């Protein structure tokens, strides 16, 4: 799984948004491996010395740059690209920010803030004061193919051909299947994260430039409607060892339930561990998981928010 990739695409070969008219930077045969260099999610607008003031100046049209695209010989609409995640090369630096107007609780947290992470590239848990240590597990937040619809499309929303899915379980060893809509598939990847909770509630994870090696294969006539993936083993064992604190939101609307569950966790972290509300919110984004616990007991649904105790112990 860790054999040397046949190709390398450097981080200066990137694009913003999806457009099936973008020319490919590489053409490959199915089954070849590629080493992708990536930029951070701000596309270099934020650096190790950036402040909250820099967050307020972000050009959101330049966020989530992806490296590519790659043309896969023989790929046709109706096929699927099978992406096998081989390995990652972390950079050791990343950031988490509260961006005004963005995130699940944007109305409650209108002010910009940034936290810098200087972590061990060997993925030792990263510090987040006061006293928190977040286990790291890198993955690409944005990974996908060009859509059939012509023109430029925003990279922010995920779509049926993948894109900014922010699925934290697309880690080393995972096999991801993406539906092809255009000849050559036109694959790109980026927006790499060192860690993230399911939901990425403040809108950012540990945003970090991380190189990734992938194998791209072709499944003819797969006719997928949406992405699928297979994990090689447990998906939460890096968080499970000390159990969880869990808050809930119960009511007739899943979004309201999610907001309530997260707000309750922010309150818990503040009262019990002394976190400010904004610090608790950002910490939840990188390590806590939103889950739908019940969706059949009309008229109310249950959303649960799992915060791993290992981060605080």
């Amino acid at each position: 799984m860790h054999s040397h990739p046949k190709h390398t695409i450097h981080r200066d070969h990137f694009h913003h948004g999806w457009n099936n008219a973008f020319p490919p930077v590489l053409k490959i045969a199915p089954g070849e491996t590629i080493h992708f260099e990536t930029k951070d999610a701000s596309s270099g607008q934020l650096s190790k010395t950036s402040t909250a003031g820099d967050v307020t100046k972000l050009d959101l049209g330049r966020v989530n740059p992806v490296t590519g695209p790659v043309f896969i010989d023989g790929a046709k609409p109706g096929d699927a690209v099978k992406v096998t995640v081989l390995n990652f090369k972390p950079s050791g630096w990343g950031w988490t920010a509260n961006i005004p107007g963005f995130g699940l609780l944007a109305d409650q947290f209108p002010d910009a803030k940034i936290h810098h992470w200087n972590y061990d590239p060997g993925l030792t848990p990263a510090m987040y004061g006061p006293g928190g240590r977040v286990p790291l597990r890198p993955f690409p937040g944005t990974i996908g193919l060009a859509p059939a619809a012509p023109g430029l499309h925003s990279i922010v929303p995920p779509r049926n051909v993948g894109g900014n899915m922010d699925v934290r379980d697309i880690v080393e060893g995972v096999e991801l299947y993406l539906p092809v809509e255009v000849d050559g598939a036109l694959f790109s990847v980026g927006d790499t994260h060192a860690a993230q909770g399911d939901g990425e509630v403040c809108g950012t994870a540990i945003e970090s430039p991380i190189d990734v090696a992938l194998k791209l294969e072709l499944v003819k006539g797969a006719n997928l409607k949406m992405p699928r993936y297979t994990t090689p083993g447990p998906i939460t064992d890096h968080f499970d060892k000390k159990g969880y604190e869990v808050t809930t939101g119960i009511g007739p609307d899943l979004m309201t339930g999610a907001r309530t569950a997260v707000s309750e966790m922010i309150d818990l972290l503040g009262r019990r561990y002394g976190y400010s509300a904004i610090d608790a919110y950002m910490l939840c984004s990188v390590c806590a998981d939103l889950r739908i616990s019940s969706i059949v007991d009309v008229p109310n649904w249950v959303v649960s928010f799992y915060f791993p105790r290992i981060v605080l112990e």
Side-chain angles (χ1 to χ4, degrees), residues 16-39:
H16 297 109
W18 299 104
N19 191 330
N20 59 37
F22 285 155
V25 299
L26 178 69
K27 295 186 178 182
I28 66 166
E32 294 187 6
T33 57
I34 306 171
H35 175 94
F36 292 85
E37 295 181 350
T38 73
K39 299 167 72 74

Side-chain angles (χ1 to χ4, degrees), residues 95-116:
W95 56 269
T96 302
N98 186 59
I99 301 171
F102 191 57
L104 182 65
L105 303 180
D107 56 327
Q108 298 180 32
F109 296 97
D111 298 327
K113 183 161 186 178
I114 187 169
H115 176 79
H116 292 278

Side-chain angles (χ1 to χ4, degrees), residues 1 9 24 64 143 185 193 195 228 234 267 273 280:
M1 180 170 287
I9 303 180
N64 283 17
I143 183 168
H193 300 163
R228 301 176 183 174
D267 181 70
Y273 298 100

Side-chain angles (χ1 to χ4, degrees), residues 20-297:
N20 59 37
F22 285 155
V25 299
L26 178 69
K27 295 186 178 182
I28 66 166
E32 294 187 6
T33 57
I34 306 171
H35 175 94
F36 292 85
E37 295 181 350
T38 73
K39 299 167 72 74
D40 77 287
S42 77
S43 199
Q45 296 180 79
L46 299 178
S47 70
K48 295 179 180 180
T49 59
S50 292
T51 65
D54 297 310
V55 175
T56 66
K57 300 173 186 174
L58 278 176
D59 177 357
L60 297 182
R62 294 173 55 200
V63 301
N64 283 17
V66 284
T67 303
V70 175
F71 184 100
I72 303 168
D73 190 42
K76 298 288 184 182
D79 297 340
V81 173
K82 176 185 176 183
V83 184
T84 302
V85 183
L86 302 179
N87 57 68
F88 295 92
K89 184 180 178 182
S91 64
W93 168 76
W95 56 269
T96 302
N98 186 59
I99 301 171
F102 191 57
L104 182 65
L105 303 180
D107 56 327
Q108 298 180 32
F109 296 97
D111 298 327
K113 183 161 186 178
I114 187 169
H115 176 79
H116 292 278
W117 303 82
N118 294 293
Y119 64 87
D120 174 9
L123 301 181
T124 299
M127 289 296 301
Y128 187 92
R133 294 175 61 85
V134 176
L136 304 180
R137 200 161 180 248
F139 73 96
T142 303
I143 183 168
L145 310 178
L152 182 65
H153 303 270
S154 171
I155 207 150
V156 174
R159 52 193 75 244
N160 65 302
V161 286
N164 189 28
M165 298 186 291
D166 286 320
V167 175
R168 72 100 185 269
D169 296 326
I170 300 178
V171 295
E172 185 174 310
V174 162
E175 296 173 346
L176 169 68
Y177 297 83
L178 298 169
V180 176
E181 288 192 346
V182 299
D183 288 352
L186 297 177
F187 174 88
S188 301
V189 64
D191 180 32
T192 44
H193 300 163
Q196 182 200 287
D198 278 337
E200 195 186 20
V201 294
C202 88
T204 59
I206 300 182
E207 309 291 340
S208 181
I210 299 173
D211 294 355
V212 55
L214 305 172
K215 182 179 182 180
L216 302 182
E217 299 175 89
L218 201 55
V219 181
K220 299 297 291 182
N223 291 314
L224 299 184
K225 292 183 174 63
M226 295 285 168
R228 301 176 183 174
Y229 58 97
T230 302
T231 73
I235 58 174
T236 56
D237 55 337
H238 61 310
F239 283 150
D240 286 342
K241 296 176 179 63
K242 298 290 185 178
Y244 294 82
E245 298 290 346
V246 185
T247 52
T248 64
I250 300 174
D253 181 80
L254 286 174
M255 184 61 74
T256 300
R259 286 169 53 87
T260 299
V262 174
S263 294
E264 289 290 291
M265 185 60 70
I266 291 169
D267 181 70
L268 184 155
L269 293 175
R271 291 176 182 270
R272 190 175 300 175
Y273 298 100
Y275 281 92
S276 69
I278 184 62
D279 282 332
Y281 181 43
M282 291 167 62
L283 180 58
C284 284
S285 195
V286 304
C287 68
D289 297 336
L290 276 169
R291 301 182 185 178
I292 299 173
S293 295
S294 172
I295 200 169
V296 297
D297 297 319

